[in-house]
Amino acid sequence: MSTTQSERLRGLLEPLVSAQQLDLEEIEVSRAGRRGVLRVIVDSDEGVELDTCAELSRAISQKLDETDVMGEGEYVLEVSSPGAERPLSEPRHYLRATGRLARFHLAADGSGELVARILAVDEDGLDLEVPGVKGRKPTSRRLAFDEIARARVEIEFNRKDKKEEEA
């Protein structure tokens, strides 16, 4: 996707997404055979409901029909949330993942990796709980944002719900 098209799409879609109290996380244009595919990824602190995605999809479709930003060819529009295993790259992503287990690839030497639960997030970094190994107690660790090369939420099949923990 050209920078010009990307900028035009972002400028066109950002107000529609913001009107739904959502964050525009990603815009991706690709090809699927003869058709183009426009993927619009949105999120919020409360998550994104299917009805909201459908409503936003209709609004985006109408707006795109009024412009030539997608060109003359056929395309498929997909509006969705980022999914459980999306990369964490912005402070708001880490904030939304508070309480979740994440895998961090550390920037220092490029080879370090850490799996820990995100306890708190501030403007400088994260407070983590590193699970204990072989019966040892978990330990606390502070990780600055600039120490993180990349990070992703880990899927937990036996994770306790916050409501269960409070009970």
Side-chain angles (χ1 to χ4, degrees):
M1 171 167 63
S2 71
T3 304
T4 306
Q5 185 183 31
S6 176
E7 290 170 356
R8 287 183 64 200
L9 280 167
R10 186 163 287 279
L12 195 66
L13 303 182
E14 191 83 53
L16 298 173
V17 172
S18 295
Q20 295 283 341
Q21 286 81 42
L22 299 171
D23 295 317
L24 180 57
E25 295 292 346
E26 186 178 343
I27 298 171
E28 178 187 319
V29 177
S30 60
R31 302 279 327 149
R34 294 188 311 218
R35 290 188 193 160
V37 178
L38 171 59
R39 284 187 187 87
V40 180
I41 309 298
V42 296
D43 202 4
S44 78
D45 291 343
E46 294 78 34
V48 182
E49 293 187 7
L50 187 58
D51 289 343
T52 305
C53 280
E55 188 176 321
L56 182 59
S57 180
R58 285 189 291 277
I60 289 172
S61 180
Q62 181 178 358
K63 188 60 123 177
L64 291 173
D65 287 346
E66 296 169 2
T67 71
D68 67 346
V69 71
M70 289 301 294
E72 294 296 319
E74 293 181 20
Y75 67 91
V76 175
L77 171 63
E78 297 177 2
V79 177
S80 68
S81 64
E85 290 186 323
R86 73 121 175 259
L88 304 174
S89 57
E90 300 287 329
R92 71 175 178 262
H93 299 161
Y94 292 99
L95 191 58
R96 291 173 184 159
T98 300
R100 305 286 306 268
L101 200 61
R103 182 173 304 274
F104 301 91
H105 295 270
L106 306 179
D109 60 4
S111 63
E113 189 173 274
L114 172 68
V115 176
R117 189 167 307 281
I118 301 171
L119 298 178
V121 180
D122 61 35
E123 62 276 353
D124 299 319
L126 314 167
D127 291 326
L128 305 172
E129 178 185 76
V130 181
V133 181
K134 296 183 182 174
R136 294 185 182 155
K137 291 185 179 181
T139 57
S140 296
R141 177 165 178 181
R142 177 76 182 166
L143 194 59
F145 287 123
D146 62 1
E147 294 178 80
I148 304 169
R150 62 186 194 278
R152 192 178 291 276
V153 168
E154 290 282 289
I155 302 298
E156 296 178 83
F157 293 105
N158 59 353
R159 179 175 170 245
K160 287 185 179 177
D161 190 319
K162 285 182 182 181
K163 291 176 185 172
E164 286 180 37
E165 292 174 2
E166 293 172 359

